[in-house]
Structure formats: structure tokens, C-alpha cells
Coordinates of all heavy atoms in Angstrom, one line a residue:
M549 N 26.3 -107.4 31.6 CA 26.4 -108.1 30.3 C 26.9 -107.1 29.3 O 26.4 -106.0 29.2 CB 25.1 -108.7 29.9 CG 25.1 -109.5 28.7 SD 23.5 -110.2 28.1 CE 23.1 -111.2 29.5
R550 N 27.8 -107.5 28.4 CA 28.3 -106.6 27.4 C 27.3 -106.5 26.3 O 26.5 -107.4 26.0 CB 29.6 -107.2 26.8 CG 30.7 -107.1 27.8 CD 32.0 -107.6 27.2 NE 31.8 -108.8 26.4 CZ 32.6 -109.1 25.4 NH1 33.6 -108.4 25.0 NH2 32.4 -110.2 24.7
S551 N 27.4 -105.3 25.6 CA 26.4 -105.0 24.5 C 26.4 -106.1 23.4 O 25.3 -106.4 22.9 CB 26.7 -103.7 23.9 OG 25.9 -103.3 22.9
G552 N 27.5 -106.6 23.0 CA 27.6 -107.7 22.0 C 26.8 -108.9 22.4 O 26.1 -109.5 21.6
H553 N 26.9 -109.3 23.6 CA 26.2 -110.5 24.1 C 24.7 -110.2 24.1 O 23.9 -111.0 23.8 CB 26.6 -110.9 25.5 CG 28.0 -111.5 25.5 ND1 28.3 -112.7 25.0 CD2 29.2 -110.9 26.0 CE1 29.6 -112.9 25.2 NE2 30.2 -111.8 25.7
Q554 N 24.3 -109.0 24.6 CA 22.9 -108.6 24.6 C 22.3 -108.6 23.2 O 21.2 -109.1 23.0 CB 22.7 -107.2 25.2 CG 23.0 -107.2 26.7 CD 22.9 -105.8 27.2 OE1 23.3 -104.8 26.6 NE2 22.3 -105.6 28.4
A555 N 23.1 -108.1 22.3 CA 22.6 -108.0 20.9 C 22.4 -109.4 20.3 O 21.3 -109.7 19.7 CB 23.5 -107.2 20.0
R556 N 23.3 -110.3 20.6 CA 23.1 -111.7 20.1 C 21.9 -112.4 20.8 O 21.2 -113.1 20.2 CB 24.4 -112.5 20.3 CG 25.5 -112.3 19.3 CD 26.6 -113.2 19.4 NE 27.4 -113.1 20.7 CZ 28.3 -112.3 20.9 NH1 28.6 -111.4 20.0 NH2 28.9 -112.3 22.1
D557 N 21.8 -112.2 22.1 CA 20.7 -112.8 22.9 C 19.4 -112.3 22.3 O 18.4 -113.0 22.2 CB 20.8 -112.5 24.3 CG 22.0 -113.3 25.0 OD1 22.5 -114.2 24.4 OD2 22.3 -112.9 26.1
L558 N 19.3 -110.9 22.1 CA 18.0 -110.4 21.6 C 17.8 -110.9 20.2 O 16.6 -111.2 19.9 CB 18.1 -108.8 21.6 CG 16.8 -108.1 21.1 CD1 15.6 -108.5 22.0 CD2 17.0 -106.6 21.0
G559 N 18.8 -111.0 19.4 CA 18.6 -111.5 18.0 C 18.1 -112.9 18.0 O 17.1 -113.2 17.3
L560 N 18.6 -113.7 18.8 CA 18.1 -115.1 18.9 C 16.7 -115.2 19.4 O 15.9 -115.9 19.0 CB 19.0 -116.0 19.8 CG 20.4 -116.3 19.3 CD1 21.2 -116.9 20.4 CD2 20.3 -117.2 18.1
F561 N 16.4 -114.3 20.4 CA 15.0 -114.2 21.0 C 14.0 -113.8 19.9 O 13.0 -114.4 19.7 CB 15.0 -113.2 22.1 CG 13.7 -113.1 22.8 CD1 13.2 -114.0 23.6 CD2 13.0 -111.9 22.6 CE1 12.0 -113.9 24.3 CE2 11.8 -111.7 23.3 CZ 11.3 -112.7 24.1
V562 N 14.4 -112.8 19.1 CA 13.5 -112.3 18.0 C 13.3 -113.4 17.0 O 12.2 -113.7 16.5 CB 14.0 -111.0 17.4 CG1 13.2 -110.6 16.1 CG2 13.9 -109.9 18.4
A563 N 14.4 -114.0 16.6 CA 14.4 -115.1 15.6 C 13.4 -116.2 16.1 O 12.6 -116.8 15.3 CB 15.8 -115.6 15.3
N564 N 13.6 -116.6 17.3 CA 12.7 -117.7 17.9 C 11.3 -117.3 17.9 O 10.4 -118.1 17.6 CB 13.2 -118.1 19.3 CG 14.5 -118.9 19.2 OD1 14.8 -119.6 18.3 ND2 15.2 -118.8 20.3
L565 N 11.0 -116.1 18.3 CA 9.6 -115.6 18.4 C 9.0 -115.5 17.0 O 7.8 -115.9 16.7 CB 9.5 -114.2 19.0 CG 9.7 -114.2 20.6 CD1 9.6 -112.8 21.1 CD2 8.6 -115.0 21.3
R566 N 9.8 -115.1 16.0 CA 9.3 -115.0 14.6 C 9.0 -116.4 14.1 O 8.0 -116.6 13.5 CB 10.4 -114.3 13.8 CG 10.0 -114.2 12.3 CD 11.1 -113.5 11.5 NE 12.3 -114.2 11.4 CZ 12.6 -115.3 10.7 NH1 11.6 -115.9 10.0 NH2 13.8 -115.9 10.7
A567 N 9.9 -117.3 14.4 CA 9.7 -118.7 13.9 C 8.4 -119.3 14.6 O 7.6 -120.0 13.9 CB 10.9 -119.6 14.2
Q568 N 8.2 -119.1 15.9 CA 7.1 -119.6 16.6 C 5.8 -119.0 16.0 O 4.7 -119.6 16.0 CB 7.1 -119.3 18.1 CG 8.2 -120.1 18.8 CD 8.3 -119.7 20.2 OE1 7.6 -118.9 20.8 NE2 9.3 -120.2 20.9
A569 N 5.9 -117.7 15.6 CA 4.7 -117.1 15.0 C 4.5 -117.5 13.5 O 3.5 -117.1 12.9 CB 4.9 -115.5 15.1
G570 N 5.4 -118.2 12.9 CA 5.3 -118.7 11.6 C 5.5 -117.6 10.5 O 4.9 -117.6 9.5
L571 N 6.3 -116.5 10.9 CA 6.5 -115.4 10.0 C 7.8 -115.5 9.3 O 8.8 -115.8 9.9 CB 6.4 -114.1 10.8 CG 5.1 -113.8 11.5 CD1 5.2 -112.6 12.4 CD2 4.0 -113.6 10.5
S572 N 7.8 -115.1 8.0 CA 9.1 -115.0 7.3 C 9.7 -113.6 7.6 O 9.0 -112.7 8.2 CB 8.9 -115.1 5.8 OG 8.2 -113.9 5.4
L573 N 11.0 -113.5 7.3 CA 11.6 -112.2 7.5 C 10.9 -111.1 6.7 O 10.7 -110.0 7.2 CB 13.1 -112.3 7.1 CG 14.1 -112.8 8.1 CD1 15.5 -113.0 7.5 CD2 14.2 -111.9 9.3
T574 N 10.6 -111.5 5.5 CA 9.9 -110.5 4.6 C 8.5 -110.1 5.2 O 8.2 -108.9 5.2 CB 9.7 -111.1 3.2 OG1 10.9 -111.5 2.7 CG2 9.0 -110.2 2.3
T575 N 7.8 -111.0 5.7 CA 6.5 -110.7 6.3 C 6.6 -109.8 7.5 O 5.9 -108.8 7.7 CB 5.7 -111.9 6.6 OG1 5.5 -112.7 5.4 CG2 4.3 -111.6 7.2
L576 N 7.5 -110.2 8.4 CA 7.7 -109.5 9.6 C 8.2 -108.1 9.3 O 7.8 -107.1 9.9 CB 8.7 -110.2 10.6 CG 8.9 -109.5 11.9 CD1 7.6 -109.3 12.7 CD2 9.9 -110.3 12.8
A577 N 9.1 -108.0 8.4 CA 9.7 -106.6 8.0 C 8.5 -105.7 7.5 O 8.5 -104.6 7.9 CB 10.7 -106.8 6.9
S578 N 7.6 -106.3 6.7 CA 6.5 -105.5 6.2 C 5.6 -105.1 7.4 O 5.1 -103.9 7.4 CB 5.7 -106.4 5.3 OG 4.5 -105.7 4.9
L579 N 5.4 -106.0 8.4 CA 4.5 -105.6 9.5 C 5.1 -104.5 10.4 O 4.3 -103.8 11.0 CB 4.3 -106.9 10.4 CG 3.4 -108.0 9.7 CD1 3.4 -109.2 10.6 CD2 2.0 -107.5 9.6
V580 N 6.4 -104.4 10.5 CA 7.0 -103.4 11.4 C 7.6 -102.3 10.6 O 8.3 -101.4 11.2 CB 8.1 -104.1 12.4 CG1 7.4 -105.1 13.3 CG2 9.2 -104.7 11.6
G581 N 7.5 -102.3 9.3 CA 8.0 -101.1 8.5 C 9.5 -101.1 8.4 O 10.1 -100.0 8.5
S582 N 10.1 -102.3 8.2 CA 11.5 -102.4 8.1 C 11.9 -103.1 6.9 O 11.0 -103.5 6.1 CB 12.1 -103.1 9.4 OG 13.5 -103.1 9.3
S583 N 13.2 -103.4 6.7 CA 13.6 -104.2 5.6 C 14.0 -105.6 6.1 O 14.4 -105.7 7.2 CB 14.9 -103.5 4.9 OG 16.0 -103.6 5.7
K584 N 14.0 -106.5 5.1 CA 14.4 -107.9 5.4 C 15.8 -107.9 5.9 O 16.2 -108.6 6.9 CB 14.2 -108.7 4.2 CG 14.6 -110.2 4.4 CD 14.3 -110.9 3.1 CE 14.9 -112.3 3.1 NZ 14.7 -113.0 1.9
S585 N 16.7 -107.1 5.3 CA 18.1 -107.1 5.6 C 18.4 -106.6 7.0 O 19.2 -107.1 7.8 CB 19.0 -106.4 4.6 OG 18.6 -105.0 4.6
T586 N 17.6 -105.6 7.4 CA 17.8 -105.0 8.8 C 17.3 -106.1 9.8 O 18.0 -106.3 10.8 CB 17.0 -103.7 9.0 OG1 17.5 -102.7 8.1 CG2 17.0 -103.2 10.4
L587 N 16.2 -106.7 9.6 CA 15.8 -107.8 10.5 C 16.8 -108.9 10.6 O 17.0 -109.5 11.7 CB 14.4 -108.3 10.1 CG 13.2 -107.4 10.4 CD1 11.9 -108.0 10.0 CD2 13.2 -106.9 11.9
S588 N 17.3 -109.3 9.4 CA 18.3 -110.3 9.4 C 19.6 -109.9 10.3 O 20.1 -110.7 11.0 CB 18.7 -110.6 8.0 OG 19.8 -111.6 8.0
R589 N 20.0 -108.7 10.1 CA 21.2 -108.2 10.9 C 20.8 -108.2 12.4 O 21.6 -108.6 13.2 CB 21.6 -106.8 10.5 CG 22.3 -106.8 9.1 CD 22.9 -105.5 8.7 NE 22.8 -104.4 9.7 CZ 22.0 -103.4 9.6 NH1 21.3 -103.2 8.5 NH2 22.0 -102.4 10.5
L590 N 19.6 -107.8 12.7 CA 19.1 -107.9 14.1 C 19.2 -109.3 14.7 O 19.7 -109.5 15.8 CB 17.7 -107.3 14.2 CG 17.1 -107.4 15.6 CD1 17.7 -106.5 16.6 CD2 15.6 -107.2 15.5
E591 N 18.6 -110.2 13.9 CA 18.6 -111.6 14.4 C 20.0 -112.2 14.5 O 20.2 -113.1 15.3 CB 17.7 -112.5 13.5 CG 16.2 -112.2 13.6 CD 15.4 -113.1 12.8 OE1 15.9 -114.0 12.1 OE2 14.1 -113.0 12.8
Q592 N 20.9 -111.7 13.8 CA 22.3 -112.2 13.8 C 23.1 -111.5 14.9 O 24.3 -111.7 15.0 CB 23.0 -112.1 12.5 CG 22.3 -113.0 11.4 CD 22.9 -112.7 10.0 OE1 24.0 -112.3 9.9 NE2 22.0 -113.0 9.1
G593 N 22.5 -110.5 15.6 CA 23.2 -109.8 16.7 C 24.1 -108.7 16.2 O 25.1 -108.3 16.9
Q594 N 23.9 -108.2 15.0 CA 24.8 -107.2 14.4 C 24.3 -105.8 14.6 O 24.9 -104.9 14.1 CB 24.9 -107.5 12.9 CG 25.5 -108.8 12.6 CD 25.5 -109.1 11.1 OE1 25.0 -108.4 10.3 NE2 26.1 -110.2 10.7
I595 N 23.2 -105.6 15.3 CA 22.7 -104.3 15.7 C 23.0 -104.1 17.2 O 22.5 -104.8 18.0 CB 21.2 -104.1 15.4 CG1 21.0 -104.2 13.9 CG2 20.7 -102.8 16.0 CD1 19.6 -104.0 13.5
P596 N 24.0 -103.2 17.5 CA 24.4 -103.1 18.9 C 23.3 -102.5 19.8 O 22.4 -101.8 19.4 CB 25.6 -102.1 18.8 CG 25.4 -101.4 17.5 CD 24.6 -102.3 16.6
L597 N 23.4 -102.9 21.1 CA 22.5 -102.4 22.1 C 23.3 -101.6 23.1 O 24.5 -101.8 23.2 CB 21.8 -103.6 22.8 CG 20.9 -104.4 22.0 CD1 20.5 -105.6 22.8 CD2 19.8 -103.7 21.4
P598 N 22.8 -100.6 23.7 CA 21.4 -100.2 23.7 C 21.0 -99.6 22.3 O 21.8 -99.0 21.7 CB 21.2 -99.2 24.8 CG 22.6 -98.6 25.0 CD 23.5 -99.7 24.6
A599 N 19.8 -99.8 21.9 CA 19.3 -99.3 20.6 C 19.0 -97.9 20.7 O 18.4 -97.4 21.6 CB 18.1 -100.1 20.2
R600 N 19.5 -97.2 19.7 CA 19.3 -95.7 19.6 C 18.9 -95.4 18.2 O 19.1 -96.2 17.3 CB 20.5 -94.9 20.0 CG 20.9 -95.1 21.5 CD 22.0 -94.2 21.9 NE 22.3 -94.3 23.3 CZ 23.1 -95.2 23.8 NH1 23.8 -96.0 23.0 NH2 23.3 -95.2 25.1
G601 N 18.4 -94.2 18.0 CA 18.2 -93.7 16.6 C 17.1 -94.6 15.9 O 16.1 -95.0 16.5
K602 N 17.3 -94.8 14.6 CA 16.3 -95.5 13.8 C 16.1 -96.9 14.3 O 15.0 -97.5 14.0 CB 16.7 -95.5 12.4 CG 17.9 -96.3 12.0 CD 18.3 -96.3 10.6 CE 19.5 -97.2 10.3 NZ 19.8 -97.3 8.9
N603 N 17.0 -97.6 15.0 CA 16.8 -99.0 15.4 C 15.8 -99.1 16.6 O 15.2 -100.1 16.8 CB 18.1 -99.6 15.7 CG 18.9 -99.8 14.4 OD1 18.4 -100.1 13.4 ND2 20.2 -99.6 14.5
R604 N 15.8 -98.1 17.4 CA 14.9 -98.2 18.6 C 13.4 -98.4 18.3 O 12.8 -99.3 18.8 CB 15.1 -97.0 19.5 CG 14.2 -97.1 20.7 CD 14.8 -96.5 22.0 NE 13.9 -96.5 23.1 CZ 13.7 -97.6 23.8 NH1 14.2 -98.8 23.5 NH2 12.8 -97.6 24.8
P605 N 12.8 -97.6 17.4 CA 11.4 -97.8 17.0 C 11.2 -99.2 16.4 O 10.2 -99.8 16.7 CB 11.1 -96.7 16.0 CG 12.1 -95.7 16.3 CD 13.3 -96.4 16.7
L606 N 12.2 -99.7 15.7 CA 12.0 -101.0 15.1 C 12.0 -102.1 16.2 O 11.1 -103.0 16.2 CB 13.2 -101.3 14.2 CG 13.4 -102.8 13.7 CD1 12.2 -103.3 12.9 CD2 14.7 -102.9 12.9
L607 N 12.9 -102.0 17.2 CA 12.9 -103.0 18.2 C 11.7 -102.9 19.1 O 11.1 -103.9 19.5 CB 14.2 -102.8 19.1 CG 15.5 -103.2 18.4 CD1 16.7 -102.8 19.2 CD2 15.5 -104.7 18.1
V608 N 11.2 -101.7 19.4 CA 10.0 -101.6 20.2 C 8.8 -102.2 19.4 O 8.0 -102.9 20.0 CB 9.7 -100.1 20.5 CG1 8.3 -99.9 21.1 CG2 10.8 -99.6 21.5
A609 N 8.7 -101.9 18.1 CA 7.6 -102.5 17.3 C 7.7 -104.0 17.3 O 6.7 -104.7 17.4 CB 7.7 -102.0 15.9
L610 N 8.9 -104.6 17.2 CA 9.0 -106.0 17.2 C 8.6 -106.6 18.5 O 7.9 -107.6 18.6 CB 10.5 -106.4 16.9 CG 11.0 -106.3 15.5 CD1 12.5 -106.4 15.4 CD2 10.3 -107.3 14.6
V611 N 9.0 -106.0 19.6 CA 8.7 -106.5 20.9 C 7.2 -106.5 21.1 O 6.6 -107.4 21.6 CB 9.4 -105.7 22.0 CG1 8.8 -105.9 23.4 CG2 10.9 -105.9 22.0
H612 N 6.5 -105.4 20.7 CA 5.1 -105.3 20.9 C 4.3 -106.3 20.0 O 3.3 -106.8 20.4 CB 4.6 -103.9 20.7 CG 4.9 -103.0 21.8 ND1 4.1 -103.0 23.0 CD2 5.8 -102.0 22.0 CE1 4.6 -102.1 23.8 NE2 5.6 -101.5 23.3
L613 N 4.9 -106.6 18.8 CA 4.2 -107.5 17.9 C 4.4 -108.9 18.3 O 3.5 -109.8 18.2 CB 4.7 -107.3 16.5 CG 4.1 -108.1 15.4 CD1 2.6 -107.8 15.2 CD2 4.9 -108.0 14.1
L614 N 5.6 -109.3 18.7 CA 5.9 -110.7 19.0 C 5.8 -111.2 20.4 O 5.6 -112.4 20.6 CB 7.4 -111.0 18.5 CG 7.6 -110.8 17.0 CD1 9.1 -110.9 16.7 CD2 6.9 -111.8 16.2
C615 N 5.8 -110.3 21.4 CA 5.7 -110.7 22.8 C 4.3 -110.6 23.3 O 3.7 -109.5 23.3 CB 6.6 -109.9 23.7 SG 8.4 -110.0 23.3
S616 N 3.7 -111.7 23.7 CA 2.4 -111.7 24.1 C 2.2 -111.4 25.6 O 1.2 -110.8 26.0 CB 1.7 -113.0 23.8 OG 2.4 -114.1 24.4
A617 N 3.2 -111.7 26.4 CA 3.1 -111.5 27.8 C 3.7 -110.1 28.2 O 4.8 -109.7 27.7 CB 3.9 -112.5 28.6
A618 N 3.0 -109.3 29.0 CA 3.4 -108.0 29.3 C 4.7 -108.0 30.1 O 5.6 -107.2 29.9 CB 2.3 -107.3 30.2
S619 N 4.9 -109.0 31.0 CA 6.2 -109.1 31.7 C 7.4 -109.3 30.8 O 8.4 -108.8 31.0 CB 6.1 -110.2 32.8 OG 5.9 -111.4 32.2
E620 N 7.1 -110.1 29.8 CA 8.2 -110.4 28.8 C 8.5 -109.1 28.0 O 9.7 -108.8 27.8 CB 7.7 -111.5 27.8 CG 8.7 -112.0 26.8 CD 8.2 -113.1 26.0 OE1 7.1 -113.0 25.4 OE2 8.8 -114.2 26.0
R621 N 7.5 -108.4 27.6 CA 7.7 -107.1 26.9 C 8.5 -106.2 27.7 O 9.5 -105.5 27.3 CB 6.4 -106.5 26.5 CG 5.7 -107.1 25.3 CD 4.6 -106.2 24.8 NE 3.5 -106.0 25.8 CZ 2.5 -106.8 26.0 NH1 2.3 -107.8 25.2 NH2 1.6 -106.5 26.9
D622 N 8.1 -106.0 29.0 CA 8.8 -105.1 29.9 C 10.3 -105.4 30.0 O 11.1 -104.6 30.0 CB 8.1 -105.0 31.2 CG 6.7 -104.4 31.2 OD1 6.4 -103.8 30.1 OD2 6.0 -104.6 32.1
C623 N 10.5 -106.7 30.2 CA 11.9 -107.2 30.4 C 12.8 -106.9 29.1 O 13.9 -106.4 29.3 CB 11.9 -108.7 30.6 SG 13.5 -109.4 30.9
I624 N 12.2 -107.2 28.0 CA 13.0 -106.9 26.7 C 13.1 -105.4 26.5 O 14.2 -104.9 26.1 CB 12.3 -107.5 25.5 CG1 12.3 -109.1 25.7 CG2 13.0 -107.1 24.2 CD1 13.6 -109.7 25.8
L625 N 12.1 -104.6 26.8 CA 12.2 -103.2 26.6 C 13.3 -102.6 27.5 O 14.0 -101.6 27.1 CB 10.9 -102.5 26.8 CG 9.9 -102.8 25.7 CD1 8.5 -102.2 26.0 CD2 10.3 -102.2 24.3
C626 N 13.4 -103.1 28.7 CA 14.5 -102.7 29.6 C 15.9 -103.0 29.1 O 16.8 -102.2 29.2 CB 14.3 -103.3 31.0 SG 13.0 -102.6 31.9
T627 N 16.0 -104.1 28.4 CA 17.2 -104.6 27.8 C 17.7 -103.7 26.7 O 18.9 -103.4 26.6 CB 17.1 -106.0 27.3 OG1 16.7 -106.9 28.4 CG2 18.4 -106.5 26.7
I628 N 16.8 -103.2 25.9 CA 17.1 -102.4 24.7 C 17.2 -100.9 25.1 O 17.6 -100.1 24.2 CB 16.2 -102.6 23.5 CG1 14.8 -102.2 23.8 CG2 16.3 -104.1 23.1 CD1 13.9 -102.2 22.6
S629 N 16.9 -100.5 26.3 CA 17.0 -99.1 26.7 C 18.4 -98.6 26.9 O 19.2 -99.4 27.3 CB 16.1 -98.8 27.9 OG 14.8 -99.1 27.6

């Protein structure tokens, strides 16, 4: 799968999990130490994968906060590596 498709898929996944958790972009950004605009770009698939640099800790924090199942976390963490 190409990186652009992965980024869009991950963005939609994060957006869906955030919505299911009832969190606003602002609240989630505060919880993971990020900005609302960065999370918005992530949800829109504008942050390329594999994640490196400053985006990696953000994605790892989001996965741990939003994914309740260990198997789901492992799968997503493999995608962003």
C-alpha cells in the first residue's frame, strides 16, 4: 500500500475513534500534547507515513489513547513504523 493511502486510512481511523470517544480536536490535542491543526492534518491524511520525527510520538500517543484492544494497537503501530 502506498504511503498516501496509508495516511488517509490512518487519518479516517483516528477521526472515527475520536468521534466514538466523543472528543473534540481541541480536547484530543490537549490530551496528547499536540495542536488542533496538526490533528486536523493527520485526520485529513496530510501527514505522510511512515511517521518519523515529531509526528511519531504524536501517533503513538493517539494509538495508545484511542485504541482499547491490544491487537488493534499493535496493528496500527506496525502501520506507522
Side-chain angles (χ1 to χ4, degrees):
M549 183 184 296
R550 292 183 317 151
S551 179
H553 291 288
Q554 288 176 324
R556 281 190 296 278
D557 290 347
L558 180 63
L560 289 172
F561 181 73
V562 169
N564 286 333
L565 287 177
R566 179 179 62 76
Q568 288 174 8
L571 299 171
S572 68
L573 278 172
T574 303
T575 301
L576 184 57
S578 175
L579 290 171
V580 296
S582 183
S583 69
K584 179 181 170 182
S585 63
T586 298
L587 286 181
S588 178
R589 286 188 5 250
L590 171 73
E591 288 187 359
Q592 294 172 28
Q594 297 173 356
I595 294 179
L597 297 175
R600 294 187 177 91
K602 67 178 182 174
N603 293 322
R604 179 144 177 79
L606 167 62
L607 290 171
V608 170
L610 286 169
V611 168
H612 283 285
L613 181 69
L614 295 173
C615 296
S616 58
S619 60
E620 187 177 51
R621 282 193 302 270
D622 292 345
C623 181
I624 296 300
L625 290 173
C626 286
T627 301
I628 65 173
S629 296

